Amino acid sequence: MLFDNLFKELACGPGIIRALVAGMTAAEARSRPLPESWSTLEVVCHLRDEEREDFRPRLDLILHRPYELLPSIDPQSWVADRRYNERDLAEMLDGFVTERARSLDWLQGLAAADWEAEYTTPFGSIKAGDMLAAWAAHDNLHTRQLVELRRNRLVNLAAPYEVRYAGEW
């Protein structure tokens, strides 16, 4: 694992997310293609909360306090409990960008970190390097989700015209 490469991936995240939500109205940001799927706004809220309550604090625990218990989190329930879809997209996006900047500052101080440091959880062991890699991969998962949501928005905006000439999706 190359820390610099993963750090760069994490540094690119906010710009990618910002571009994928650009130009959306409040109604578009709250729209769900299916009742069980997330809206763009819910994805952005999730990214903000994961940044401050999951990846950064858990990596810190693995590296510096492996004797402590991981704090309990429930990101799935946060969507409804925290009323994500009632929030303001610009405010939540700014919150994510701010939290990511804090994370990047913190990560820069970990140049000599032991990425092989291991933490045992009820679901198995995880190394600090695994957590850092998962953090970057988590951005990719939600980038893909936002691309799908953006495409769905485009299809709706284009109606009654079709986009099939663009190619298979």
Side-chain angles (χ1 to χ4, degrees), residues 66-163:
Y67 48 85
E68 289 183 18
L69 292 175
L70 284 175
S72 178
I73 61 170
D74 188 0
Q76 286 293 88
S77 71
W78 293 347
V79 177
D81 294 349
R82 297 179 181 186
R83 304 169 93 163
Y84 280 172
N85 228 19
E86 297 174 25
R87 307 280 183 126
D88 177 74
L89 179 61
E91 183 181 322
M92 295 298 101
L93 181 60
D94 287 346
F96 167 64
V97 170
T98 297
E99 289 299 328
R100 178 56 60 88
R102 286 182 183 138
S103 295
L104 294 171
D105 287 345
W106 178 77
L107 284 167
Q108 283 183 317
L110 298 179
D114 178 8
W115 297 110
E116 293 298 313
E118 208 161 341
Y119 184 89
T120 302
T121 72
F123 53 85
S125 292
I126 186 167
K127 293 180 180 180
D130 297 330
M131 182 61 79
L132 183 62
W135 193 350
H138 183 259
D139 273 12
N140 289 159
L141 289 172
H142 291 294
T143 297
R144 180 177 66 188
Q145 187 179 18
L146 289 170
V147 167
E148 292 282 344
L149 288 163
R150 189 156 183 97
R151 182 179 188 283
N152 187 65
R153 173 183 172 260
L154 175 73
V155 168
N156 290 332
L157 288 172
Y161 302 103
E162 296 184 15
V163 298

Side-chain angles (χ1 to χ4, degrees), residues 23-87:
M24 286 195 178
T25 66
E28 290 168 341
R30 288 183 174 91
S31 176
R32 294 179 180 148
L34 299 169
E36 66 275 7
S37 63
W38 286 5
S39 69
T40 296
L41 177 55
E42 289 166 330
V43 172
V44 172
C45 290
H46 169 77
L47 287 167
R48 183 202 62 167
D49 287 353
E50 283 286 297
E51 194 71 23
R52 66 182 185 188
E53 297 179 53
D54 187 353
F55 289 101
R56 186 174 65 224
R58 286 172 179 242
L59 179 56
D60 184 47
L61 192 138
I62 293 168
L63 287 169
H64 303 112
R65 300 179 316 282
Y67 48 85
E68 289 183 18
L69 292 175
L70 284 175
S72 178
I73 61 170
D74 188 0
Q76 286 293 88
S77 71
W78 293 347
V79 177
D81 294 349
R82 297 179 181 186
R83 304 169 93 163
Y84 280 172
N85 228 19
E86 297 174 25
R87 307 280 183 126

